[in-house]
Structures are given as structure tokens and as C-alpha cells.
Amino acid sequence: MNGKINVTVWNEYRHELQHETCRKAYPQGIHVAVGEALLEDGAFDVNYAWLDKDAEHGLSQELLDKTDVLFWWGHMAHGEVKDEIVDRVQKRVQEGMGLVVLHSGHKSKIFMRMLGTTCNLKWREVGEKERIWNIEPAHPIAAGLPEHFELPHTEMYGERFDIPTPKDVVFITWYEGGEVFRSGVTFERGYGRIFYFAPGHETFPIFYDKNIRKVLVNAAKWAAPRIVREIPCPCVKPLEEIKTKLEE
Amino acid sequence: MNGKINVTVWNEYRHELQHETCRKAYPQGIHVAVGEALLEDGAFDVNYAWLDKDAEHGLSQELLDKTDVLFWWGHMAHGEVKDEIVDRVQKRVQEGMGLVVLHSGHKSKIFMRMLGTTCNLKWREVGEKERIWNIEPAHPIAAGLPEHFELPHTEMYGERFDIPTPKDVVFITWYEGGEVFRSGVTFERGYGRIFYFAPGHETFPIFYDKNIRKVLVNAAKWAAPRIVREIPCPCVKPLEEIKTKLEE
Amino acid sequence: MNGKINVTVWNEYRHELQHETCRKAYPQGIHVAVGEALLEDGAFDVNYAWLDKDAEHGLSQELLDKTDVLFWWGHMAHGEVKDEIVDRVQKRVQEGMGLVVLHSGHKSKIFMRMLGTTCNLKWREVGEKERIWNIEPAHPIAAGLPEHFELPHTEMYGERFDIPTPKDVVFITWYEGGEVFRSGVTFERGYGRIFYFAPGHETFPIFYDKNIRKVLVNAAKWAAPRIVREIPCPCVKPLEEIKTKLEE
Amino acid sequence: MNGKINVTVWNEYRHELQHETCRKAYPQGIHVAVGEALLEDGAFDVNYAWLDKDAEHGLSQELLDKTDVLFWWGHMAHGEVKDEIVDRVQKRVQEGMGLVVLHSGHKSKIFMRMLGTTCNLKWREVGEKERIWNIEPAHPIAAGLPEHFELPHTEMYGERFDIPTPKDVVFITWYEGGEVFRSGVTFERGYGRIFYFAPGHETFPIFYDKNIRKVLVNAAKWAAPRIVREIPCPCVKPLEEIKTKLEE
């Protein structure tokens, strides 16, 4: 309506309510930190939804129908997301909605559903340093970012990351503890674009980092629908005259 | 044990029992025609399974555990395949088993599960001519095949085919009625290889065609596991000394 | 300066001067027909260059430096394009300039240089019908195009087309004579985007077709630089302290 | 003849003759160290060629015609490799010969010719530690390798590596000094397969490392031709009757 991109930020929103350290890092929840990064840019309208918001985890068909890009952060309660809501989100992504999956969302139902793999990886939580290398500086998601940037304290997510070969590997991470990770990767499914971004642990203030926020903004713009359309399976008439048609 | 590749050919096996024209084309079932194409080559041991074989559709964990490559043909009863059996097959593909999906298997649960898309397409059933172009003559699945070959009567499957960008497009089909189709496409998911091959309608004797049989044999060899391994999600120790570790 | 995308349309411009049928189809040259399609859209400033324009084929460093997207049509005189001009164009593409290669430009030095393959294909010139299928409706180059469109008379370019696996196959063509072709394909090299589009024979009025013109406009917008930057090969200092450094 | 894969190992062979430290590391030349790794496996016949061997750098048409896989190591004299020899090698790769490019061969004429990019990267030579992560354990080039392995002293090659998106990223390297690198990547051009492998500096005994030697053996097997065939550009007759043919 107003020319803005409609983003819905979905957060599991359990850690922040249950754990003091998470609440300190994200007093209003991770979703609000992500949403504020987007609002700051000015190109977006932002809605919030979370697991326990209502019986549909806040993801009504009506909200999804007007959502251009859905952000997803989940961790401890992936299994509680109802399959029918995952179906709904998947269909909407296939029909053109963008999907940005953050950090521990790698094991969310929706992400595994879109990719078909386990999305397993190695992990470690000791607050080590992470350096993110910008492998595709010409990619829209890397716009305006330096050739590398650092997070002082992060959870390690290490290879092998069990994903299909990405469309683009935008970022590769170096970890102080000795691992590497394809930390920013893109996929396309149906008419929808998908971006997975690894940083974003619930106890580190990563979503306040200016480079991380730049990635969130870029990703939301990049993932905005190019078309939104149902995907039919029609029986069609021949366009050319057919000579070999069987007589029955 | 004997150095042969263990193939299980799974067939829905309803059409042949219910429809006279299918029974005429495949008196023992499509699975047996596919299996005999493989047996003729000599490199394979072949097992058969089908939807109504038993409560597990013939796909016991024991059988899957020794299956190197699973062929899949289904059509009218995709919805009757139990989700827990699809889970079992998916896990085995991720861990290294090959999967060859034939014709109307494009709408099987397992194929859509591996790809994340609707796999929708256009279709028409008038017995028109199909010409299959060999786009990647150096690909193992195209070994020994001419630069193009024809099927006199086929069901048309036309673009747009809603799949992720394939790893390789091995074949593209020209249809008499005016459509085109990426008729032989590969994917990788986890450690497993997947090949989708479009020809194979239940009323046309396509699986007796020598070029088609060559494709089936090549695909089974190509999809045979390179490794078979569980995909873990371990918490790991640092390989390098970490200096920035947080004090808690 | 004015917010427009700077396009340079390069045309060999020999056929139109030497052959009556080409002159009839393109009285001012193919480059002008292509350029007018772009100008009609309003988003572009257009310059023209051609083989015999001057000693640099009209492609001075100064012109290239301000060119965002270069269109290339050539055919009978590929070999006369000087290697140092091809070097210049290649470097500019690597640094971010878009490149749109049309029709018989598949055998141009610059296209083969960017791809590393022979770019060979099958061909036939009998004025048959071509139907172009829109395989990736969500791709920016397919924006606003129908699911298929036709050219009544075309030169046939058939598979196998010897190119590396494209980034995206946007269009696949069906030919009346029985062939197929990946007729719209994208590549990325360095920071630059490349689009090859097969239609465009010198004796058929293809570049006046409204769908074709839509593709040209879309391609020029899509190929516009995201960044323009030199690609260095620097010796760099360590970002982390190195303990295992050799004593010499 | 004997069922073995014919490998030609090409080495610039200047460093070893000119610099004491290189001669110490590779007394008979880098080519011999690479060749011995292959011979040890038993699946290969090995020939050697080098820049100053003869007027054709040891790469006669006759030798290339019987070479299944060509290894390439070069560094200080890339510019001295004659263009007509590069043409010859490129044509042979397009027609099916495998090409394995090692370390500083990233700036060889043949590698840049096959890829179309600058192949630039960051570098540093302080003998730091490198850890190579096996990203695609199911890829034939990773067969039998651990999930990661280390080189105690290496030259750093860091991102951004200016290459087209690889077919497969088999290895990603972690460097002690803080960089990452896509250190094992595959490409296909024409019917030929290409593997680039980053480790292999002239003063470190890297080609004696057992894991590195395993990669060399695997790469040579993987890159062996699947077909060898000229790539024509024929004018062909229609396969179907054409109705729209123009009257002239």
C-alpha cells in the first residue's frame, strides 16, 4: 500500500522469558531486536509473531498473505510448531514469499522442509570470536559490507553443514576455535527466495551489531517477492497439431 | 556381498491391477519391467516392494538398510504412503542411499520431501511423440546414449516444472504438441544422489525401450552410494586455543 | 548522473551493409533496433559502437568506463575483433559491467573468453517457428512475460549447446523442426553478470517483437552493475597472531 | 592399453632449479613428487613435462592426445607459456581431458582461460598452520579423507577468490592467521572436469603429506575422461516436417 516491504519476524520467544541471560541480551525478545534493525532502515513495515502468541503461533493465513518476507528464529521448541502451520508457510514461500532463517532456525521444521536435508552441523558455545568473510561482494545481501567483519563472542556453528549446494555462498565464517562455516547461504524454492544466516545466539547481543543489521536489511530487500503466484498442475491442450495420437 | 549393487524397485502397483490397459502394458507390474532392465545388465541384485505388499509398503528398515538405490514409481495413491515410511526413506537417502524417481513419482511424498517444492508441471495424455535430447553427453547417466532418441507415444509433462535448480540437467524433451521439459535432472541431498526421469507412463511400453533401459541402468550405477554414514549434530571441543572466551 | 543505466550496444554491423535482406530487416543496423527497444523503456541512456567504427571498434576505454551494460551482436567477423579490445571488455565485465550477448554472439571472442567453452551448437536457417518457454517466471529477466511466446520465423540453434552449467536457465526453446535449446541463460564472472539470449537472426525482424524487446529491457536492468571495483591480488598481514611461523 | 589412467604432470620447474630452499623440498622437482604420489596408488601411468623441456613446454599434441588427466603447477613464469600451447590444452580439456590445477596454478593462463575470471586472491607467506575441512565427504575427491586435516606450515591463500561459483566446494580451509579459502573446488568445461586444489607451496613439503597425496590420487581418478569427443557446430536437417518455412 505504502510501497514498503511487509516483514513478519517470527521468534520462538521462550529463551527470553525463561532465562535471565537471554532476557538481558534481548529484553523485548529477539524478534523486536531484528524488527528494529529493519525499521531503522525505513523500507519496511514490521509485524511480530511467536510460538505462544495464539493457536496458530501468530501466523494466520491472513497475516501470511500480506507478508512479503518472513524472518524465523527458533531453537528449543522446534517440535512444538504445528505441521499445518509449517505447511502454510511452505506453500506461501513456494508462491513467492521470502524466508530468512536465523541462527538456530537451521533445525526448524520450515527450513528442513524447504531443503530436504538434516541441516545438521557442529556446534560449541564458549563465546569465541567469529570473523565473517564476504565471499560475494557483488551479491545484494553483501551490499555495503566490508570484506570481513567480526563478532567478539559467538556460538560456533561448524562444517560440515548438511545442506544442499546453495545458490550462492555469500559469507564464510572463520572461528577462533578452528572451524569454518558457510554462514550466509541462499536457496530458491518455487518462486520464493531463502536466506540462511548463522550468527544470532540468544545470549550474545549479535542482532545489535551494525554489520549484522546491515545483513538483515539487505536480506529482507533481496528476499522480497519478485512475483506472487499459485503454482498449478494443469492438464493442457496441444499447441501444435499432433499426428501420432493413439487410436483407442 | 557379491559386489552387486542392491536395488529395490518400489511401485505403487495399483494401476496394473485395476486397469486392463496397464495390465496389458505391464502384466507383472511396472516394477518388474524396471527390475528386469536392471537384471539384464548384470550389475544389480533387485528386490521389489509395493504399496499394498504389507503394512510398511514393503519397505522395512531391514530392506532399506541393505538397499543401495531405491527406484520409485507412484501415481494414483501418493497420499496413502505413510508418513513414517517416507521419514524412513528420507533418512536413508540423506545417509547415502540413491533415489531414482520415475515419471508420475514427481508428486510422490518422498520426492517433494527431498526437494521442498510442489514439483507441479503441465500434463496431457494423448499419446504424442517425445524426443529426448542428451544435453550432457559426458554425464554418467548419459553414457552410451545417442544425442537424441524418441518415444513414439508418451504422456506429455511440460514446463514450468516446479523444482529447485538441478545439479545437472541431463535430458531435455521436445514434445510434438509444442512443450519442452527438463526430463532428466539430478539433485544431491545429504550424502545421497537423486535422479528424476520423466518418461514412463503406465499405459505405454516405455520401460521396454532400449534407450530408456540404458538410462535406468546408468542411473542406478550413478546413484549407488559413495559413502553411507549417519549425519550427526555434535557439540565439539575447540581445535585451537580460545582466548576471547567469556567469563561467566 | 541522471539516474539512467548506461548501455552500449555493440554490433558487428557488416551484414546490414552487405546484404539486402538484412538491410531490409534492419535499415539502421541491428544495434539501433536493440537500442530503440531500450530507449522506449525510458530507464536507459544508449550509445552505439561497431566493428568498423574506429580502430578500437568503437570501444574506447573511456566509453567502457562509463558503460553499465554492454550488448553484443556479432557473426561473420568475430575473428576481426582485436584481442586487446576483448581483454579490455573482459576486464570491465570482471569488475562489474553487465554483458548481454545476443544470438550469433555465442561464437564471439568475448563470450567464449568469459565461459571457457567452445559455445558450439547445432543450427539451421529455414525460417521455422520457435516457441520460447519461460522456465523461471520469478527471474527478473522474465518479468512481465507470458509462460510462453512465439517467433514465427527464426534460425534454429539446437542442443547440445557447449556452455558451462548456467547460473539460471530462464528460457528453453521448442523448435518446429524438432530441437530444443537453452535460449536464455545467465552466468556470473567476477562482479559482472552475463546473459545470453539466442533469438535475433539478422534477416528476421525479431528485435521488433514486443516480447523480445521486453527481454532486452529486463536483461539490461538485471545486468546493471551492483558494484564496480577492481579485483586485486594483495599480500596481506595476519589478522590473528601466528604461533607456528617458521624460523628461517 | 593397460587399463591405467594416463596422467601428465606439468611443472614450471624453475623454482627448484633456482632456489636452494625449493630444491631441498623437492630435489627432483615438484612434478616428480606429485607423480610419485600417483604411482604409489597403482592406477596411473605418469609422464612429466615442464616449461623448458622443449619448444612446446613438453606438451606435444601427441602427448596430450593420450593424456587422460593433466596436472598443472606453475608460478613465476606463467607469462612464458605460449598461447598456442594453452589453446591446445584448452581444446583437449573441452573434449574430455581432466585438468587438476595446483596451488599457484590459479594464475596460470590455462586456469584463467577455462574460468574467465581473474582468479585473484589474498596471499601471505609466513608458514602458518592450515586446517582443511572436508565439506563434501561423499564427493569422490574426498574419499577416505578425515573430516579435517592439517598442514603445519603453508602459504595462505585467502578469500575472496575470484572464481565462478564452483560445481562443488569440496574443501574449505581455515588459516591460523584468520582467513578462510575454498581450497578444493570443481568445475566442468565442455566434456572435461577441472579440480583446483590450493595447498602446495614450493618451499613446504606439502606434496609428501599423506592426506594431500590422497587428494591428488582421488582427483586424478575423478577427472579421468568419461567421454573424449570433438565438439562440432553442425548445420542440421529438420527432424520434423516444417510448415512455416519462408518462401524467398
Side-chain angles (χ1 to χ4, degrees), chain D residues 162-178:
Chain D
D162 180 35
I163 50 172
T165 302
K167 186 83 176 182
D168 291 291
V169 177
V170 184
F171 303 114
I172 297 180
T173 280
W174 176 99
Y175 286 105
E176 192 181 357

Side-chain angles (χ1 to χ4, degrees), chain B residues 129 131 138 167-168 240, chain D residues 129 131 167-168 226 240:
Chain B
K129 179 162 64 174
R131 180 178 295 110
K167 186 84 175 181
D168 291 291
E240 302 288 324
Chain D
K129 178 161 64 173
R131 180 177 295 109
K167 186 83 176 182
D168 291 291
R226 299 155 303 169
E240 301 288 324

Side-chain angles (χ1 to χ4, degrees), chain B residues 129 131 133 137-138 140 148 167-168 174 191 226-227 229 239-240, chain D residues 129 131 133 137-138 140 148 167-168 174 191 226-227 229 239-240:
Chain B
K129 179 162 64 174
R131 180 178 295 110
W133 287 91
H148 62 83
K167 186 84 175 181
D168 291 291
W174 176 99
Y191 302 139
R226 298 156 302 168
I227 59 172
R229 196 180 293 176
L239 296 158
E240 302 288 324
Chain D
K129 178 161 64 173
R131 180 177 295 109
W133 286 91
H148 63 82
K167 186 83 176 182
D168 291 291
W174 176 99
Y191 301 140
R226 299 155 303 169
I227 59 172
R229 195 181 292 178
L239 296 158
E240 301 288 324

Side-chain angles (χ1 to χ4, degrees), chain C residues 58-243:
Chain C
L59 295 171
S60 67
Q61 188 64 57
E62 192 192 355
L63 179 65
L64 279 179
D65 283 349
K66 66 170 201 178
T67 298
D68 294 314
V69 181
L70 178 66
F71 278 65
W72 195 276
W73 195 103
H75 183 219
M76 62 190 282
H78 290 316
E80 293 182 44
V81 179
K82 293 174 188 171
D83 286 342
E84 60 264 35
I85 303 302
V86 182
D87 291 345
R88 188 185 284 175
V89 173
Q90 180 174 19
K91 183 166 185 290
R92 177 80 183 155
V93 174
Q94 289 166 344
E95 293 176 9
M97 181 180 72
L99 177 67
V100 178
V101 176
L102 299 172
H103 190 58
S104 44
H106 71 100
K107 287 297 293 181
S108 63
K109 285 184 179 180
I110 183 61
F111 192 54
M112 292 191 291
R113 187 81 79 83
M114 300 311 304
L115 300 195
T117 56
T118 67
C119 303
N120 283 347
L121 46 72
K122 292 187 181 60
W123 60 280
R124 176 175 61 236
E125 196 179 336
V126 299
E128 70 205 89
K129 179 161 64 173
E130 168 174 8
R131 181 177 294 110
I132 296 168
W133 286 92
N134 177 350
I135 302 303
E136 293 295 348
H139 197 285
I141 294 179
L145 286 159
E147 65 175 12
H148 62 83
F149 58 96
E150 291 180 13
L151 297 171
H153 302 291
T154 198
E155 183 181 14
M156 190 283 292
Y157 274 9
E159 296 282 352
R160 182 180 175 255
F161 186 18
D162 180 36
I163 50 173
T165 301
K167 187 84 174 179
D168 290 291
V169 177
V170 184
F171 303 115
I172 297 179
T173 281
W174 176 100
Y175 286 105
E176 193 181 357
E179 285 84 3
V180 296
F181 197 64
R182 289 168 291 173
S183 49
V185 288
T186 72
F187 303 92
E188 292 178 0
R189 292 293 180 272
Y191 301 140
R193 283 173 156 177
I194 301 170
F195 180 59
Y196 172 77
F197 192 48
H201 193 53
E202 64 271 14
T203 63
F204 303 122
I206 288 171
F207 291 123
Y208 303 115
D209 179 272
K210 75 172 172 37
N211 288 310
I212 296 292
R213 287 163 89 93
K214 184 79 183 150
V215 173
L216 299 178
V217 165
N218 289 344
K221 290 177 181 172
W222 171 84
R226 298 156 303 169
I227 59 171
V228 176
R229 194 180 294 178
E230 289 207 2
I231 299 175
C233 205
C235 180
V236 297
K237 292 198 171 152
L239 296 157
E240 301 288 324
E241 184 198 350
I242 292 177
K243 298 176 190 170

